[in-house]
């Protein structure tokens, strides 16, 4: 898997990676603990209104939508029936069958058979399977019932639900169908009656009205009489979709996204864009695991072929490119589609070398632009009009590729896409990317290629610890102002606590300060089904009946609703840095690998021995900190023999150790990766480790873990050979670490960045004449702050409008309790210079009216 440690989204094992954090997320205190008892820290903010900063584009903050965590089917896409076309398959998920979510049901003594068939009687070539009901003709009703997603189909009393089904029957007089919503044996409303007539596929529709509210409903479709009736595309939508659109979106989720006022909508991913086969859907032997190809997702829904989703389930494509464009238009966001570049990412790392296939994908991309922008007289503009939108959508930006780990192969193909797009559609901004991380060899090479080719915009992705975001606020200060612009397409701090949101908010002040470089930014992922999520954190969580914004949703919303038009230059005092040497015990670990360790020694800088173990005895001096793997002393070495176990950390020594040399021998016996050498170990969530042969044995890094979340400090392309013994040395001096492999210096780093908890930025809202002072205080102490607005600033009112997010750092929003939510108030006494105390663990936006 591409990055199980730093970016757990790369695999379905993320729950195990973050298991140590999850237990703490159950409790969400509503108030910060005793912050008022902490002595305030003193700060100052000086504003220079005469020194204009960069303009901020309306599209700066947006949303990134990917069908991860069941964000589409069972999520934003309002369809209530799961597996509506009987296309589920073990290729999507090993637990799936073509009857997943369906069970036989009957009235009285009715009997019959229900089976899924794939033959020439199908609905169409792109919808291969259908349900065949063979009826016994005893006067009772036989059929199937669908359980929807999770606990069942959620309905509300008094609400209408639109049903449809495609059916055909071999009975000349027709076959009566009954459609009913049930919860167990309880009917949730009057049944709908239709009669299927004729042995050709026909669509039947009707409306069900719920008279009882239920979150565990079932949709039963039964048939009477005898003979055979065939069913496909069994569908149930709430009438009340977002903006009332048919084939529409779940209203509460769509409204929560719209409330962010996003400047753009990036879609459809993400890893599902560029993983799997790049071949087209070609019946009958079509490729089940395909990259996301937009032409599969437009036209009548019954003619859209399904696909296996990279995240381990099925995707129906009911929510497709037309619906994405329509939703972007509905919420006033710029549509920003992403197309595959024929180089797979997300751990697959394969370049497809097929010039003809490449040209087909390039033409598909040109056709996509025509679909979005072409006149109704063009072939794809006509298709858009036929779907209900004659007016062009006005596409301006398009991204090619996503997180490719093979920068040279990717860029060769990206260049061909870019050349073709710019030749035919020169007004389109073509966006490249820099791989899956914030630094490293792939990142550096990708940026070099992008700079040399004068690419307009580069998409960066990274998921890091709160510490990293606090340490790297100035990341974009040093970017080349003449080079490509940055699209920060995916970022998040690795959890959903308020402390994570605070670190993200602090980082966002740096994004705004560099609005001339960072033109677009979007938190990720956007949506997650709380019953079936592959990734954490997420911005919006939901179940079948409700949805709620995380703490990060509230901080994102605060920034996105209060952007301003331009940055006003300002500066703030900082927090005095308190730092000592790197301290901690040592450790050994593996990840999906069996390995042997021997001759472990730790000596102080002056040569005194602190620890030594040649494993001639037992392992009593080692603590199995992670509690995983199978460790034992064997043939004079310490062996972890479970090649499937992940993060098997064992530790030894004293957490107070500093300024020492760690030496050992390491041998990989089997498995996918190499070995992990830990130092500076305080506990299982706070340590450093040298990850040799990580990410499927493709690269080696040093990672720093703080609170269970990791960040990369140094990276090399080193891989590890099985059966070879390596001499490993880690030299710790103060906060500098030097690493040696087989006697040669491998690399070094100094971990001395300050995690500044007090950050600010000031912008101007020209429409209201207000300065927006945005302050993040991510520490236990209140921040007593003298604010100087500058001599040139005319204060139009002594009252300022405040919006504050404040809470305990471990606070988590849940469906029943949202401790992190905006609190609005008015501040009196605003003047050219005044003092305000920003609460501990808070984000505060202060709108100050200026002018005459």
């Amino acid at each position: 898997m591409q990055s199980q440690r730093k970016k757990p989204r790369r695999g379905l094992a993320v729950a195990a990676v973050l298991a140590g954090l999850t237990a703490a997320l159950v409790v969400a205190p509503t108030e910060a603990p005793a912050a008022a008892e902490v002595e305030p820290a003193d700060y100052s903010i000086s504003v220079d209104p005469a020194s204009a900063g960069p303009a901020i584009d309306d599209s700066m903050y947006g949303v990134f939508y990917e069908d991860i965590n069941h964000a589409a089917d069972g999520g934003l896409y309002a369809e209530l029936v799961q597996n509506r076309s009987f296309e589920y398959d073990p290729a999507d998920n090993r637990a799936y069958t073509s009857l997943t979510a369906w069970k036989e049901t009957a009235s009285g003594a009715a009997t019959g058979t229900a089976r899924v068939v794939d033959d020439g009687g199908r609905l169409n070539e792109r919808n291969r399977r259908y349900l065949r009901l063979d009826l016994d003709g005893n006067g009772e009703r036989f059929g199937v019932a669908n359980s929807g997603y999770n606990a069942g189909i959620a309905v509300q009393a008094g609400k209408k639900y639109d049903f449809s089904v495609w059916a055909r029957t071999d009975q000349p007089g027709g076959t009566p169908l009954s459609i009913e919503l049930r919860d167990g044996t309880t009917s949730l409303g009057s049944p709908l009656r239709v009669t299927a007539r004729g042995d050709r596929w026909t669509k039947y529709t009707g409306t069900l009205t719920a008279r009882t509210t239920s979150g565990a409903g079932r949709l039963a479709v039964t048939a009477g009489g005898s003979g055979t009736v065939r069913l496909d595309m069994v569908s149930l939508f709430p009438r009340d979709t977002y903006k009332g659109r048919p084939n529409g979106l779940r209203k509460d989720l769509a409204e929560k996204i719209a409330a962010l006022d996003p400047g753009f909508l990036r879609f459809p991913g993400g890893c599902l864009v560029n993983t799997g086969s790049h071949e087209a859907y070609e019946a009958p032997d079509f490729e089940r695991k395909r990259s996301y190809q937009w032409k599969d997702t437009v036209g009548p829904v019954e003619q859209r072929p399904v696909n296996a989703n990279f995240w381990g389930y099925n995707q129906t494509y009911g929510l497709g490119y037309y619906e994405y464009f329509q939703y972007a238009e509905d919420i006033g966001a710029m549509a920003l589609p992403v197309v595959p570049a024929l180089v797979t990412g997300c751990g697959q790392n394969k370049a497809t070398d097929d010039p003809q296939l490449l040209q087909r994908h390039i033409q598909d991309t040109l056709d996509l632009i025509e679909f979005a922008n072409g006149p109704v007289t063009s072939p794809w503009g006509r298709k858009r009009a036929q779907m209900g939108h004659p007016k062009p959508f006005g596409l301006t930006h398009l991204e090619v590729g996503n997180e490719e780990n093979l920068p040279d192969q990717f860029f060769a193909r990206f260049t061909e896409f870019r050349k073709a797009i710019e030749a035919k559609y020169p007004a389109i901004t073509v966006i490249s990317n820099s791989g899956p991380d914030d630094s490293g060899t792939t990142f550096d090479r990708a940026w070099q290629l992008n700079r040399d080719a004068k690419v307009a915009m580069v998409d960066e992705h990274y998921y890091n610890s709160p510490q990293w975001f606090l340490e790297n606020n100035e990341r974009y200060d040093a970017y080349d102002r003449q080079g490509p612009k940055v699209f920060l397409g995916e970022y998040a701090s690795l959890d959903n606590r308020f402390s994570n949101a605070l670190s993200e908010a602090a980082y966002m002040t740096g994004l705004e300060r560099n609005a001339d470089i960072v033109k677009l930014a979007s938190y990720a992922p956007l949506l997650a089904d709380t019953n079936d999520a592959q990734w954490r954190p997420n911005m919006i969580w939901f179940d079948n009946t409700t949805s709620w914004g995380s703490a990060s949703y509230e901080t994102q919303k605060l920034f996105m609703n209060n952007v301003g038009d331009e940055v006003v230059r300002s500066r703030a005092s900082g927090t005095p840095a308190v730092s000592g040497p790197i301290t901690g015990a040592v450790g050994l670990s593996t990840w999906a690998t069996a390995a042997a360790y021997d001759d472990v020694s730790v000596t102080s800088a002056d040569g005194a021995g602190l620890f030594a173990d040649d494993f001639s005895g037992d392992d009593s001096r080692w603590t199995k900190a992670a509690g995983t793997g199978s460790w034992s002393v064997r043939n004079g070495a310490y062996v972890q023999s479970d090649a499937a176990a992940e993060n098997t950390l064992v530790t030894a020594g004293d957490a107070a150790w500093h300024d020492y040399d760690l030496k050992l021998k390491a041998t990989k016996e089997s498995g996918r990766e190499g070995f992990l050498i830990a130092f500076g170990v305080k506990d299982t969530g706070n340590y450093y480790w040298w990850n040799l042969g990580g990410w499927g044995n493709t690269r080696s890094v040093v990672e720093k873990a703080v609170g269970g979340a990791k960040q990369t400090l140094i990276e090399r392309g080193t891989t590890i050979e099985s059966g070879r013994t390596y001499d490993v040395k880690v030299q710790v001096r103060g906060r500098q670490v030097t690493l040696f492999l087989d006697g040669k210096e491998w690399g070094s780093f100094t971990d001395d960045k300050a995690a500044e908890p007090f950050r600010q930025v000031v912008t101007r809202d020209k429409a209201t004449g207000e300065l927006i002072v945005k302050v993040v205080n991510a520490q236990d102490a209140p921040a007593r702050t003298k604010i100087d607005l500058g001599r040139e600033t005319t204060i139009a009112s002594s009252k300022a409008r405040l919006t504050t997010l404040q809470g305990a750092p471990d606070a988590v929003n849940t469906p029943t309790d949202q401790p992190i939510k905006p609190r609005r108030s008015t501040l009196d006494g605003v003047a050219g210079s005044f003092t305000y105390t920003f609460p501990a663990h808070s984000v505060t936006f202060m709108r100050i009216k200026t002018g005459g």
Side-chain angles (χ1 to χ4, degrees):
M1 295 181 185
Q2 184 166 331
S3 182
Q4 295 160 309
R5 301 174 191 82
K6 183 180 179 189
K7 295 178 69 178
R9 196 173 116 190
R10 297 297 156 229
L12 302 179
V14 62
V17 179
L18 296 179
L21 298 177
T22 305
L25 299 179
V26 177
V27 179
T30 58
E31 295 182 3
E37 298 176 4
V38 179
E39 183 66 23
D42 289 315
Y43 294 90
S44 64
I45 297 174
S46 299
V47 181
D48 184 1
S51 179
I56 306 175
D57 296 343
D58 291 341
S59 58
M60 177 169 181
Y61 292 124
V63 291
F64 163 53
Y65 178 87
E66 179 177 12
D67 185 5
I68 181 176
N69 308 314
H70 289 268
D73 300 314
L76 184 61
Y77 185 49
E79 173 66 78
L80 297 173
V81 176
Q82 183 178 188
N83 191 19
R84 64 184 177 187
S85 60
F86 309 98
E87 300 288 345
Y88 273 30
D89 191 272
D92 309 326
N93 185 297
R94 284 179 296 179
Y96 283 177
T97 72
S98 54
L99 279 172
T100 291
W102 294 96
K103 295 183 78 171
E104 291 184 2
T105 186
S107 64
T111 59
T113 60
R115 57 195 175 100
V116 174
V117 180
D118 181 355
D119 63 15
R122 63 180 62 90
L123 179 59
N124 58 64
E125 285 300 298
R126 295 167 70 82
N127 193 331
R128 308 289 295 173
R129 301 172 186 166
Y130 63 90
L131 180 71
R132 173 173 171 154
L133 295 178
D134 292 308
L135 309 172
D136 65 5
N138 68 355
E140 300 289 347
R141 311 189 71 82
F142 174 81
V144 289
N146 187 269
S147 58
Y149 294 89
N150 302 319
I153 295 173
V155 295
Q156 296 181 45
K159 296 286 188 178
K160 295 183 182 299
Y161 297 86
D162 293 325
F163 171 82
S164 64
V165 64
W166 287 79
R168 59 187 293 186
T169 177
D170 64 359
Q171 297 300 292
T175 298
L177 300 177
S178 176
I179 301 95
E180 184 179 17
L181 282 165
R182 303 174 184 164
D183 184 344
T185 59
T186 302
S187 175
L188 299 176
S190 299
L192 172 69
R193 311 286 190 189
V194 298
T195 299
R197 298 186 185 279
D199 202 10
R200 300 183 64 177
W201 287 105
T202 303
K203 185 177 182 179
Y204 300 90
T205 62
T207 301
L208 293 166
T209 302
R211 62 169 173 256
T212 304
T213 295
S214 172
R218 300 291 187 267
L219 179 70
V221 181
T222 56
S226 59
T228 298
V229 63
R230 296 167 172 85
L231 307 177
D232 205 350
M233 293 298 290
V234 182
S235 174
L236 187 71
F237 271 85
R239 175 74 58 83
D240 190 20
T241 59
Y242 183 67
K243 291 190 177 292
R245 298 194 181 282
N247 195 50
L249 306 182
R250 179 171 152 176
K251 190 174 182 179
D252 63 323
L253 293 177
E255 288 180 340
K256 277 187 170 59
I257 298 169
L260 294 166
D261 192 20
F264 65 87
L265 171 64
R266 176 178 179 249
F267 63 89
C271 285
L272 60 78
V273 165
N274 67 333
T275 50
S277 169
H278 299 298
E279 297 291 342
Y281 174 93
E282 294 177 351
D285 299 320
F286 67 95
E287 173 57 55
R288 183 68 183 206
K289 296 183 177 182
R290 308 183 304 281
S291 57
Y292 200 107
Q293 300 176 46
W294 78 272
K295 288 181 179 178
D296 287 346
T297 77
V298 298
V301 291
E302 68 273 9
Q303 295 177 17
R304 302 180 190 181
V306 301
N307 197 4
N309 186 306
F310 173 82
W311 297 108
Y313 51 92
N314 178 276
Q315 51 187 336
T316 67
Y317 287 152
L319 175 55
Y321 258 70
Y322 176 84
E323 290 77 21
Y324 287 126
F325 277 121
Q326 181 65 75
Y327 183 51
E329 182 179 88
D330 284 344
I331 62 177
M334 176 182 78
L336 204 167
V338 185
V339 299
L342 273 71
V343 178
T344 56
C346 303
Q348 296 184 357
N349 303 336
K350 178 182 178 182
T352 299
D353 188 14
D354 184 335
Q356 186 175 357
L357 184 60
L358 176 63
Q359 288 306 310
R360 196 269 289 172
H361 274 266
I362 290 172
Q363 184 59 51
D364 282 354
T365 303
L366 297 176
D367 292 344
L368 169 61
I369 299 171
E370 182 180 290
F371 177 77
N373 293 353
V376 296
T377 54
S378 66
W380 287 102
R382 184 180 307 113
K383 169 69 78 172
R384 182 193 68 243
Q386 289 169 349
M387 295 186 71
H389 202 285
K391 182 181 177 182
F393 284 115
L395 180 67
T396 60
H397 291 64
L398 184 145
E399 184 170 356
V400 177
N402 174 77
E403 294 188 7
E404 286 77 16
N405 248 327
L406 304 172
D408 289 279
Q409 294 92 322
F410 160 72
F411 203 77
R413 290 154 180 79
F414 170 84
T415 299
E416 295 301 310
F417 277 88
R418 180 188 179 199
K419 186 192 311 179
I421 294 168
E422 291 181 347
K424 189 168 184 179
Y425 299 105
I428 297 291
T429 298
V430 185
I431 302 172
S432 180
N433 76 80
S434 59
D437 290 309
D438 58 83
S439 59
T441 53
T442 295
F443 179 88
D444 293 340
R445 178 58 176 161
W447 260 105
Q448 178 189 341
L449 292 166
N450 285 307
R451 278 192 299 268
D452 291 348
K454 296 181 170 54
V455 169
M457 188 175 290
V458 177
D459 187 1
E460 295 188 352
H461 294 179
Y462 40 83
Y463 298 86
N464 283 313
S465 67
Q467 182 95 355
W468 186 94
F469 284 100
L470 294 175
E471 290 175 351
N472 286 276
N473 177 275
E474 298 170 354
R475 174 182 176 89
Y476 295 107
D477 291 3
Y479 270 50
D480 180 6
R481 263 50 196 171
Q482 306 306 312
K485 303 303 181 185
V486 172
F487 172 21
L488 180 50
E490 296 185 35
Y491 73 99
S493 169
L494 288 172
D495 209 342
N496 266 147
R497 310 180 196 192
F498 189 41
S499 57
N500 299 90
L502 284 169
S503 71
E504 294 154 2
Y507 193 70
M508 292 170 79
T509 66
L511 301 183
E512 289 192 9
R513 190 175 64 250
N514 288 283
D516 57 327
I517 290 292
V518 183
K519 306 303 288 183
L520 305 169
S522 51
Y523 177 100
L526 178 61
L527 295 171
D529 182 340
T530 191
N531 296 291
D532 197 353
Q534 292 78 49
W535 174 261
R536 186 185 190 102
N538 299 284
M539 193 190 294
I540 299 170
W541 291 85
F542 64 89
D543 56 26
N544 283 8
T545 59
T546 189
S547 58
W548 60 98
S550 66
S552 292
Y553 173 85
E554 296 298 345
T555 56
Q556 292 289 326
K557 184 178 178 182
L558 187 57
F559 273 85
M560 294 167 77
N561 287 184
N562 296 275
V563 180
D565 301 293
E566 65 182 10
V567 176
V568 178
R569 302 290 185 189
S570 62
R571 61 184 182 277
S573 59
T575 305
V578 179
S579 181
I582 292 173
T583 61
V586 299
L588 310 171
S589 188
T590 60
W591 198 291
T593 301
Y597 296 96
D598 201 0
D599 295 335
V600 179
S601 68
V602 182
T603 57
S604 67
D606 61 8
L610 300 176
F611 179 88
D613 198 339
D614 63 2
F615 302 104
S616 56
D618 59 23
D619 65 351
S620 60
R621 302 174 69 189
W622 294 85
T623 299
K624 295 179 175 64
T628 57
S630 180
W631 288 95
S632 63
V633 175
R634 190 178 71 197
N635 299 325
Y638 201 21
V639 179
Q640 198 295 108
S641 56
D642 185 347
E646 298 178 344
N647 190 8
T648 62
L649 181 66
V650 295
T651 62
D654 191 333
W657 281 350
H658 62 88
D659 296 291
Y660 56 77
D661 293 346
L662 166 63
K663 297 179 182 179
L664 56 89
K665 297 182 185 298
T667 306
K668 172 182 176 178
E669 295 189 340
S670 64
R672 297 201 310 262
E673 304 203 351
F675 19 81
L676 295 150
I677 314 302
F679 56 96
V681 180
K682 292 181 170 58
D683 53 48
T684 55
N686 297 274
Y687 56 85
Y688 300 79
W689 67 17
W690 188 4
N691 180 356
L692 285 159
W695 290 267
N697 202 17
T698 60
R699 54 195 175 115
S700 298
V701 305
V702 175
E703 294 178 293
K704 174 184 177 181
V706 179
K710 302 181 187 69
Q711 63 192 76
T712 296
L713 300 178
I714 185 174
E715 178 180 345
R716 298 286 185 268
T718 306
T719 58
I720 297 299
E721 300 174 19
S722 295
R724 173 182 168 185
T725 298
Y726 292 82
D727 288 315
V728 179
K729 177 182 176 181
V730 179
Q731 183 184 82
V732 181
R733 297 293 185 271
R735 301 203 66 79
Q736 182 172 337
V737 177
T738 308
L739 305 115
F740 300 85
L741 191 63
D742 288 337
K744 297 180 181 179
E745 184 173 329
W746 180 87
S748 66
F749 66 91
T750 302
D751 183 23
D752 60 358
K753 282 187 177 180
E756 174 57 60
F758 184 81
R759 292 293 186 181
Q760 59 81 38
V761 69
V762 181
T763 63
R764 178 179 283 111
D765 186 333
K766 293 181 178 179
T768 64
E770 291 172 311
L771 289 179
I772 312 174
V773 181
K774 310 173 187 183
V775 177
V776 180
N777 184 28
Q779 60 184 330
D780 292 335
R784 185 168 50 208
T785 307
K786 180 181 179 182
I787 302 172
D788 185 350
L789 297 177
R791 294 180 179 178
E792 296 85 357
T793 302
T794 301
I795 307 301
S797 172
S798 62
K799 297 180 183 294
R801 294 187 290 145
L802 267 61
T803 305
T804 305
L805 297 172
Q806 182 190 10
D810 283 341
V812 177
N813 285 354
T814 70
T816 57
D817 183 27
Q818 286 87 47
I820 306 305
K821 54 187 175 184
R823 187 180 72 248
R824 293 173 177 83
S825 60
T826 300
L827 171 66
D828 290 325
V830 173
S833 179
F834 65 101
T835 297
Y836 181 75
T837 300
F838 295 95
H841 305 296
S842 69
V843 183
T844 304
F845 278 33
M846 182 182 294
R847 280 183 167 267
I848 301 171
K849 189 76 171 178
T850 63

